[in-house]
Amino acid sequence: GRDLICIQSMDGMLMLFEQESYAFGRFLPGFLLPGPLAYSSRTDSFITVSSCQQVESYKYQVLAFATDADERQDTEQQKLSSGKRLVVDWILNIGEQALDICIVSFNQGASSVFVLGERNFFCLKDNGQIRFMKKLDYSPSCFIPYCSVQEGTVNTLIANHSKILNVYQDVTLKWATQLPCIPVSVKVANFQDLKGVIVTLSDDGHLQCSYLGTDPSLFQAPKVDSREINYEEMNAEMKELQKIIREATKTQDILPESEKQRDITVIAEVSADLDKESQAIDSEVKAGAVPSVTVKITIQSRVTAQKPSLAVCVQAPLAVTCDQFVFDDLEPDSSETVVLSVFLKENCSPPELEGTCMVSYNTPTELNPEGIPRVSQCSFSLPLKLVCFPAQPSKAANHKLTIDTNKPPISFVTIFPDFVDPSEGDQANALGFQFLTGSKATLLASKTSQRYRIQSDQLEDLWLVTKELIYRLEEHFKKQNCKDFACTFSGSIPLQEYFELIDRHFELRLNAEKYQELLSERAVQFRAIERRLLTRFKDKTPAPLQHLDTLLEGTFREVSAV
């Protein structure tokens, strides 16, 4: 008569709840990334697929009597604890990552564990032995074992990224049908008199209920009476129908309105200068003065808007002085304005200098006086000077990137006027950026070629300056009405430095003893990542710049998370 709930966290912890009460938590051994998780009531076990590409089963009783998760970091305490070590019940190596796990039992028969892998489909007994497996010649997206139409067999639906839904009886393909989209989830349901409805959901929220086969047509068209056409009656009927359509269109609650007829418009204006008196509050940055910048947000309404509220979001470690605003109902052709400040709160550089404003409100209609929920939003960009200030360029650095362009180099006075002393004129070909967190980056422009170099002692510090340089160059040439400007990167992708950052990330999170235990296990994972990255960037010289952007941004987010 009670609900038992198991929650798997991102760090590999299983948290067990009885109703709303927390019972206990256990860490899965050798955990790296969360995988699919299912519960078998027949064996009272939790079954998952680990990052080692193994199907693993853990008895509930073993979880309940194992060492508590709170004692995981205390080695000496673990030795003295009465709890037992968490031991796996059975393991099966499938050699690939899994997309989903499903445990079913039809007709009071033995339960089966179905695992959908990246290239194979497995059916296991509840003790881990393989009943059968099917090699797939496509990339699957989701599946569901739904019934047993023949003794000893199970029917399964498997959807793939080619928009095909396949019906299998064990390993035999029985039917295949085309879908309008790629589903991420599929189920079989019964609705009133219509049984066996296939319900699919796509990654963009497209929900579809469909079924296989066709309905017989029981309707027989009556014989048409031969009579003369009355064009006047037809015209009158057509006008009446058009009038009904126009009225229905006016009170339509489902179709979105066009951009030109948006009910509420949100405009965010970022001040060109930093605040004279900083509005930063509770900042953890160790710099002497933490600057802030003012953002003015205006909400313009052309209709009646009920219960309007504004949310302002910036990505950590940035913060705003106020992120939630609630207004009274807005009348037609009215507006509201709020002012807030953005600043660097935590002692690390942000992965991006952007923010979002989102207004939620209700608009009443004839069919729904309570109002239809709607949302309007806009984004804004923050200045680079919010997180760094001009400094002396450095001649040497550990990490360097060279960006090639197809246009002569532009003077930094033109594209970085906020970081260059105007007295230097066009002679300034080196810029220094001192981040509030203490690190420094340098930007150099070649005098003889069409290249720019970004360098720093830390790889993650290259990202913001690289992104800002590309953005300002593109904006400059756009104003010059130049449509063929392009940036490329012809150097080697700094994979080794990237992997070293990942190693450092885990060293910060785990103590040295635990790190040594997991190092050999994670080395296998890193080599797999390395092979995929090397394959991805293979034969791309000069590489498109977005590949470098992806790597740099991923690096920055890893270190920023630390």
Side-chain angles (χ1 to χ4, degrees), residues 105-127:
S105 177
F106 299 113
N107 303 329
Q108 285 76 44
S111 63
S112 298
V113 180
F114 289 87
V115 180
L116 181 64
E118 294 173 321
R119 286 296 176 186
N120 293 278
F121 169 54
F122 304 87
C123 178
L124 316 177
K125 298 179 181 179
D126 51 20
N127 62 357

mmCIF file of all heavy atoms in Angstrom, residues 105-127:
data_model
loop_
_atom_site.group_PDB
_atom_site.id
_atom_site.type_symbol
_atom_site.label_atom_id
_atom_site.label_comp_id
_atom_site.label_asym_id
_atom_site.label_seq_id
_atom_site.Cartn_x
_atom_site.Cartn_y
_atom_site.Cartn_z
ATOM 1 N N SER A 105 6.752 -9.317 -18.639
ATOM 2 C CA SER A 105 6.338 -10.699 -18.388
ATOM 3 C C SER A 105 4.919 -10.848 -18.902
ATOM 4 O O SER A 105 4.003 -10.167 -18.433
ATOM 5 C CB SER A 105 6.416 -11.014 -16.893
ATOM 6 O OG SER A 105 5.953 -12.331 -16.641
ATOM 7 N N PHE A 106 4.733 -11.714 -19.919
ATOM 8 C CA PHE A 106 3.420 -11.904 -20.524
ATOM 9 C C PHE A 106 2.898 -13.305 -20.205
ATOM 10 O O PHE A 106 3.667 -14.280 -20.143
ATOM 11 C CB PHE A 106 3.489 -11.722 -22.039
ATOM 12 C CG PHE A 106 3.934 -10.347 -22.454
ATOM 13 C CD1 PHE A 106 5.152 -10.166 -23.085
ATOM 14 C CD2 PHE A 106 3.150 -9.237 -22.202
ATOM 15 C CE1 PHE A 106 5.568 -8.902 -23.474
ATOM 16 C CE2 PHE A 106 3.553 -7.967 -22.578
ATOM 17 C CZ PHE A 106 4.767 -7.802 -23.206
ATOM 18 N N ASN A 107 1.577 -13.404 -20.007
ATOM 19 C CA ASN A 107 0.903 -14.696 -19.802
ATOM 20 C C ASN A 107 1.484 -15.479 -18.626
ATOM 21 O O ASN A 107 1.672 -16.693 -18.676
ATOM 22 C CB ASN A 107 0.972 -15.556 -21.075
ATOM 23 C CG ASN A 107 0.375 -14.847 -22.268
ATOM 24 O OD1 ASN A 107 -0.545 -14.039 -22.130
ATOM 25 N ND2 ASN A 107 0.902 -15.141 -23.449
ATOM 26 N N GLN A 108 1.804 -14.782 -17.538
ATOM 27 C CA GLN A 108 2.342 -15.398 -16.329
ATOM 28 C C GLN A 108 3.615 -16.206 -16.593
ATOM 29 O O GLN A 108 3.983 -17.100 -15.835
ATOM 30 C CB GLN A 108 1.314 -16.318 -15.651
ATOM 31 C CG GLN A 108 0.204 -15.597 -14.917
ATOM 32 C CD GLN A 108 -0.833 -15.035 -15.883
ATOM 33 O OE1 GLN A 108 -1.227 -15.706 -16.815
ATOM 34 N NE2 GLN A 108 -1.271 -13.820 -15.615
ATOM 35 N N GLY A 109 4.300 -15.893 -17.689
ATOM 36 C CA GLY A 109 5.548 -16.585 -17.989
ATOM 37 C C GLY A 109 6.717 -15.922 -17.290
ATOM 38 O O GLY A 109 6.567 -14.975 -16.531
ATOM 39 N N ALA A 110 7.900 -16.488 -17.527
ATOM 40 C CA ALA A 110 9.105 -15.916 -16.936
ATOM 41 C C ALA A 110 9.338 -14.517 -17.493
ATOM 42 O O ALA A 110 9.076 -14.249 -18.665
ATOM 43 C CB ALA A 110 10.301 -16.818 -17.229
ATOM 44 N N SER A 111 9.847 -13.631 -16.635
ATOM 45 C CA SER A 111 10.098 -12.265 -17.097
ATOM 46 C C SER A 111 11.351 -12.238 -17.968
ATOM 47 O O SER A 111 12.250 -13.067 -17.835
ATOM 48 C CB SER A 111 10.269 -11.323 -15.905
ATOM 49 O OG SER A 111 11.396 -11.693 -15.144
ATOM 50 N N SER A 112 11.381 -11.274 -18.878
ATOM 51 C CA SER A 112 12.515 -11.089 -19.786
ATOM 52 C C SER A 112 13.015 -9.664 -19.667
ATOM 53 O O SER A 112 12.237 -8.730 -19.461
ATOM 54 C CB SER A 112 12.107 -11.381 -21.239
ATOM 55 O OG SER A 112 11.693 -12.728 -21.389
ATOM 56 N N VAL A 113 14.336 -9.510 -19.797
ATOM 57 C CA VAL A 113 14.969 -8.193 -19.758
ATOM 58 C C VAL A 113 15.355 -7.836 -21.192
ATOM 59 O O VAL A 113 16.202 -8.492 -21.792
ATOM 60 C CB VAL A 113 16.219 -8.194 -18.856
ATOM 61 C CG1 VAL A 113 16.859 -6.814 -18.843
ATOM 62 C CG2 VAL A 113 15.854 -8.638 -17.450
ATOM 63 N N PHE A 114 14.715 -6.811 -21.741
ATOM 64 C CA PHE A 114 15.009 -6.358 -23.100
ATOM 65 C C PHE A 114 15.920 -5.134 -23.021
ATOM 66 O O PHE A 114 15.637 -4.182 -22.284
ATOM 67 C CB PHE A 114 13.728 -6.002 -23.849
ATOM 68 C CG PHE A 114 12.899 -7.201 -24.216
ATOM 69 C CD1 PHE A 114 11.973 -7.717 -23.333
ATOM 70 C CD2 PHE A 114 13.061 -7.822 -25.445
ATOM 71 C CE1 PHE A 114 11.210 -8.823 -23.658
ATOM 72 C CE2 PHE A 114 12.302 -8.927 -25.784
ATOM 73 C CZ PHE A 114 11.377 -9.441 -24.897
ATOM 74 N N VAL A 115 17.010 -5.158 -23.791
ATOM 75 C CA VAL A 115 17.976 -4.059 -23.821
ATOM 76 C C VAL A 115 18.145 -3.618 -25.272
ATOM 77 O O VAL A 115 18.477 -4.435 -26.139
ATOM 78 C CB VAL A 115 19.342 -4.478 -23.237
ATOM 79 C CG1 VAL A 115 20.325 -3.307 -23.284
ATOM 80 C CG2 VAL A 115 19.189 -4.996 -21.821
ATOM 81 N N LEU A 116 17.916 -2.338 -25.528
ATOM 82 C CA LEU A 116 18.123 -1.779 -26.870
ATOM 83 C C LEU A 116 19.472 -1.079 -26.891
ATOM 84 O O LEU A 116 19.668 -0.054 -26.236
ATOM 85 C CB LEU A 116 17.005 -0.782 -27.225
ATOM 86 C CG LEU A 116 17.111 -0.149 -28.624
ATOM 87 C CD1 LEU A 116 16.969 -1.214 -29.704
ATOM 88 C CD2 LEU A 116 16.054 0.937 -28.811
ATOM 89 N N GLY A 117 20.419 -1.650 -27.648
ATOM 90 C CA GLY A 117 21.739 -1.066 -27.781
ATOM 91 C C GLY A 117 21.831 -0.151 -28.987
ATOM 92 O O GLY A 117 20.846 0.087 -29.693
ATOM 93 N N GLU A 118 23.045 0.352 -29.236
ATOM 94 C CA GLU A 118 23.248 1.256 -30.371
ATOM 95 C C GLU A 118 23.177 0.524 -31.697
ATOM 96 O O GLU A 118 22.823 1.117 -32.713
ATOM 97 C CB GLU A 118 24.609 1.953 -30.235
ATOM 98 C CG GLU A 118 24.690 2.883 -29.036
ATOM 99 C CD GLU A 118 26.087 3.425 -28.827
ATOM 100 O OE1 GLU A 118 27.054 2.652 -29.012
ATOM 101 O OE2 GLU A 118 26.232 4.617 -28.505
ATOM 102 N N ARG A 119 23.531 -0.767 -31.718
ATOM 103 C CA ARG A 119 23.524 -1.550 -32.959
ATOM 104 C C ARG A 119 22.910 -2.931 -32.792
ATOM 105 O O ARG A 119 22.793 -3.663 -33.775
ATOM 106 C CB ARG A 119 24.972 -1.707 -33.485
ATOM 107 C CG ARG A 119 25.542 -0.444 -34.092
ATOM 108 C CD ARG A 119 24.770 -0.050 -35.323
ATOM 109 N NE ARG A 119 25.223 1.219 -35.891
ATOM 110 C CZ ARG A 119 24.628 1.842 -36.899
ATOM 111 N NH1 ARG A 119 23.544 1.318 -37.436
ATOM 112 N NH2 ARG A 119 25.086 2.993 -37.351
ATOM 113 N N ASN A 120 22.514 -3.322 -31.569
ATOM 114 C CA ASN A 120 21.962 -4.651 -31.332
ATOM 115 C C ASN A 120 20.781 -4.554 -30.382
ATOM 116 O O ASN A 120 20.636 -3.597 -29.621
ATOM 117 C CB ASN A 120 23.024 -5.579 -30.752
ATOM 118 C CG ASN A 120 24.148 -5.885 -31.718
ATOM 119 O OD1 ASN A 120 24.027 -6.750 -32.571
ATOM 120 N ND2 ASN A 120 25.251 -5.147 -31.608
ATOM 121 N N PHE A 121 19.951 -5.616 -30.452
ATOM 122 C CA PHE A 121 18.757 -5.717 -29.625
ATOM 123 C C PHE A 121 18.865 -7.032 -28.850
ATOM 124 O O PHE A 121 19.015 -8.098 -29.452
ATOM 125 C CB PHE A 121 17.533 -5.667 -30.534
ATOM 126 C CG PHE A 121 16.235 -6.031 -29.857
ATOM 127 C CD1 PHE A 121 15.835 -5.383 -28.707
ATOM 128 C CD2 PHE A 121 15.409 -7.023 -30.368
ATOM 129 C CE1 PHE A 121 14.651 -5.710 -28.080
ATOM 130 C CE2 PHE A 121 14.226 -7.352 -29.763
ATOM 131 C CZ PHE A 121 13.845 -6.695 -28.608
ATOM 132 N N PHE A 122 18.831 -6.962 -27.505
ATOM 133 C CA PHE A 122 19.069 -8.124 -26.660
ATOM 134 C C PHE A 122 17.818 -8.471 -25.874
ATOM 135 O O PHE A 122 17.094 -7.593 -25.411
ATOM 136 C CB PHE A 122 20.206 -7.855 -25.662
ATOM 137 C CG PHE A 122 21.509 -7.444 -26.291
ATOM 138 C CD1 PHE A 122 21.767 -6.104 -26.567
ATOM 139 C CD2 PHE A 122 22.466 -8.387 -26.610
ATOM 140 C CE1 PHE A 122 22.968 -5.719 -27.141
ATOM 141 C CE2 PHE A 122 23.674 -8.005 -27.181
ATOM 142 C CZ PHE A 122 23.927 -6.678 -27.455
ATOM 143 N N CYS A 123 17.612 -9.790 -25.705
ATOM 144 C CA CYS A 123 16.590 -10.299 -24.790
ATOM 145 C C CYS A 123 17.286 -11.239 -23.822
ATOM 146 O O CYS A 123 17.902 -12.230 -24.235
ATOM 147 C CB CYS A 123 15.480 -11.016 -25.552
ATOM 148 S SG CYS A 123 14.213 -11.730 -24.463
ATOM 149 N N LEU A 124 17.208 -10.944 -22.524
ATOM 150 C CA LEU A 124 17.905 -11.714 -21.499
ATOM 151 C C LEU A 124 16.897 -12.362 -20.559
ATOM 152 O O LEU A 124 15.792 -11.862 -20.349
ATOM 153 C CB LEU A 124 18.844 -10.804 -20.691
ATOM 154 C CG LEU A 124 19.705 -9.795 -21.455
ATOM 155 C CD1 LEU A 124 20.503 -8.953 -20.461
ATOM 156 C CD2 LEU A 124 20.638 -10.505 -22.417
ATOM 157 N N LYS A 125 17.311 -13.486 -19.986
ATOM 158 C CA LYS A 125 16.559 -14.054 -18.871
ATOM 159 C C LYS A 125 16.808 -13.201 -17.632
ATOM 160 O O LYS A 125 17.745 -12.415 -17.597
ATOM 161 C CB LYS A 125 16.985 -15.497 -18.632
ATOM 162 C CG LYS A 125 16.726 -16.429 -19.811
ATOM 163 C CD LYS A 125 17.200 -17.837 -19.500
ATOM 164 C CE LYS A 125 16.970 -18.760 -20.688
ATOM 165 N NZ LYS A 125 17.447 -20.136 -20.441
ATOM 166 N N ASP A 126 16.003 -13.396 -16.606
ATOM 167 C CA ASP A 126 16.172 -12.545 -15.426
ATOM 168 C C ASP A 126 17.400 -12.912 -14.596
ATOM 169 O O ASP A 126 17.696 -12.268 -13.594
ATOM 170 C CB ASP A 126 14.925 -12.555 -14.545
ATOM 171 C CG ASP A 126 14.455 -13.961 -14.212
ATOM 172 O OD1 ASP A 126 15.269 -14.899 -14.329
ATOM 173 O OD2 ASP A 126 13.283 -14.132 -13.838
ATOM 174 N N ASN A 127 18.159 -13.946 -15.041
ATOM 175 C CA ASN A 127 19.439 -14.254 -14.392
ATOM 176 C C ASN A 127 20.628 -13.786 -15.219
ATOM 177 O O ASN A 127 21.780 -14.105 -14.910
ATOM 178 C CB ASN A 127 19.549 -15.753 -14.124
ATOM 179 C CG ASN A 127 19.510 -16.582 -15.406
ATOM 180 O OD1 ASN A 127 19.354 -16.038 -16.503
ATOM 181 N ND2 ASN A 127 19.640 -17.888 -15.276
#
